[in-house]
Amino acid sequence: MRVKQNKLDRRKFIELFGTAAGLFLPASALAANEPLFRISLAQWSLHRSFFGDGLGEGFAQALAADPRSVLRGPLDPLDFPVIARRDYGIGAVEYVNTFFFDRARDEAYLAELRRRAAGEGVESLLIMCDAEGDLGDPDAQARLRAVENHYKWVGAAKSLGCHSIRVNARSEGSYDEQMKLAADGLRRLVEYGADQDVNVLVENHGGLSSNGAWLAGVMGLVDHPRLGTLPDFGNFRVSEKENYDNYRGVRELMPWAKAVSAKSYDFDGAGNHTRFDFERLMRIVLDAGYRGYVGIEYEGDRLSETEGIRATKHLLERVHETLKSSYASQAKANP
């Protein structure tokens, strides 16, 4: 149960201890020239380079039957931390389970991945988990299976030194029914994760989870310190007929954020993102007190994956330079 604190108590608590994931920093840290945020790389940004032509019709069936058969690209997922550091100068990564779907309990594989990350000085932040069932499935047995399917990824995250796994709050039924069902599945999973010292994060990732108010309601129902959100700048398509406002959605999810995904698609000639305003979104992120990693997740088609990742990194770096003086001055004015 969350303990309510007054503003002074909460502020003192954050200054002394931060959060479990170390995402919020005291004003004094900003005044000491700490960055407003750091940049990480989501493995999905290179999905075409790992999957090749494996991500097509029948992907789900192939993933379930023979997970390694979908890895048809020129890059090896084991090299991801090395690629992040050497090709992009990025020192933190976010894995995706579908690139090593049958390896969650393979200690030799995880040890090698851990060794390669350590060799490059790369921090492993989280594992994004898909294709393991619906945590809000209306069928109680199917919901429990989905919860238990994620247990192995909690173990893999702990083995890799990650602070979290990212999951989906997918369900069926009415607005309120889906909220209760998703909360039930998430509560079961987060209680398991808490015992392993691993957080469970929910991303806005389609369906009602892309409705910021709905997902905020789920977070309130579960009310567990180990449950957080991973606000994604771009995933606010609720259905073919409904798109949720990106800025409103990010603002609604930030109170629980333990990670942030800077989804990107395309850029204009000046290097600005064409679908939404990165500076405006990062102001929302920073105004919420978040000072953790912001993950590049390039998903565009016009630029190559390499070009898209670099363009997103350059934009985030430029936004940081634009904002750092105003946020540092706020910190100095409010010691």
Side-chain angles (χ1 to χ4, degrees):
M1 225 179 136
R2 184 178 294 118
V3 177
K4 293 185 178 179
Q5 300 168 301
N6 61 39
K7 292 182 179 179
L8 178 62
D9 289 340
R10 176 170 169 76
R11 179 181 170 190
K12 289 298 183 184
F13 177 80
I14 291 173
E15 289 184 359
L16 288 171
F17 302 108
T19 67
L23 304 179
F24 293 85
L25 298 176
S28 58
L30 290 180
N33 295 318
E34 287 286 339
L36 294 176
F37 59 89
R38 291 175 172 83
I39 296 173
S40 56
L41 180 62
Q43 196 169 15
W44 190 255
S45 297
L46 292 163
H47 67 271
R48 289 193 293 271
S49 296
F50 294 126
F51 285 140
D53 62 356
L55 190 64
E57 188 175 350
F59 173 80
Q61 292 81 359
L63 184 69
D66 182 6
R68 298 178 207 182
S69 71
V70 302
L71 298 174
R72 302 174 187 172
L75 298 184
D76 183 346
L78 263 178
D79 287 328
F80 177 51
V82 178
I83 293 165
R85 174 65 79 186
R86 297 186 186 181
D87 292 357
Y88 303 105
I90 295 174
V93 294
E94 301 163 14
Y95 302 105
V96 177
N97 72 334
T98 50
F99 297 118
F100 56 115
F101 199 63
D102 60 340
R103 305 280 201 171
R105 295 189 177 97
D106 186 335
E107 283 302 322
Y109 184 92
L110 296 175
E112 178 62 19
L113 185 54
R114 189 169 62 243
R115 185 190 69 79
R116 296 189 191 193
E120 298 296 326
V122 169
E123 185 176 358
S124 298
L125 300 179
L126 57 89
I127 303 174
M128 297 183 177
C129 300
D130 299 306
E132 291 290 8
D134 295 346
L135 291 171
D137 197 300
D139 181 273
Q141 290 185 335
R143 187 164 68 254
L144 180 58
R145 281 197 302 272
V147 170
E148 293 176 343
N149 285 346
H150 286 81
Y151 288 175
K152 60 183 177 290
W153 295 110
V154 171
K158 184 174 183 178
S159 179
L160 291 172
C162 299
H163 63 70
S164 302
I165 63 168
R166 185 279 281 149
V167 303
N168 301 298
R170 191 171 292 112
S171 186
E172 296 178 17
S174 70
Y175 185 101
D176 290 339
E177 287 170 343
Q178 290 194 50
M179 187 179 290
K180 292 175 183 176
L181 290 166
D184 177 70
L186 287 167
R187 184 179 296 107
R188 294 168 187 259
L189 180 57
V190 76
E191 287 172 354
Y192 178 86
D195 288 340
Q196 305 298 315
D197 199 28
V198 174
N199 300 314
V200 175
L201 311 186
V202 188
E203 181 181 354
N204 48 302
H205 205 202
L208 279 174
S209 76
S210 291
N211 178 313
W214 181 87
L215 188 49
V218 172
M219 301 301 295
L221 279 180
V222 179
D223 193 25
H224 195 291
R226 282 288 186 177
L227 182 67
T229 58
L230 193 162
D232 183 294
F233 288 177
N235 287 349
F236 286 100
R237 187 182 186 187
V238 178
S239 68
E240 292 184 1
K241 297 180 179 180
E242 181 183 357
N243 287 298
Y244 203 77
D245 182 80
N246 299 59
Y247 308 102
R248 176 185 173 186
V250 171
R251 185 176 293 107
E252 288 169 332
L253 299 181
M254 280 310 302
W256 296 274
K258 297 182 187 294
V260 171
S261 181
K263 178 65 60 62
S264 60
Y265 299 97
D266 202 3
F267 302 83
D268 62 22
N272 295 311
H273 194 252
T274 55
R275 293 200 191 181
F276 35 79
D277 186 335
F278 262 52
E279 182 177 328
R280 181 179 173 187
L281 285 163
M282 284 308 306
R283 285 185 181 276
I284 292 170
V285 168
L286 296 171
D287 285 345
Y290 183 87
R291 298 295 183 271
Y293 280 99
V294 175
I296 293 170
E297 191 175 28
Y298 174 66
E299 206 168 14
D301 295 319
R302 188 180 65 84
L303 299 178
S304 70
E305 291 179 327
T306 294
E307 292 169 329
I309 291 168
R310 289 177 177 162
T312 310
K313 183 171 185 267
H314 291 157
L315 178 54
L316 284 171
E317 290 170 339
R318 178 156 55 88
V319 168
H320 187 280
E321 288 302 302
T322 299
L323 298 180
K324 71 177 183 179
S325 59
S326 60
Y327 281 89
S329 64
Q330 287 178 20
K332 292 176 183 178
N334 297 281

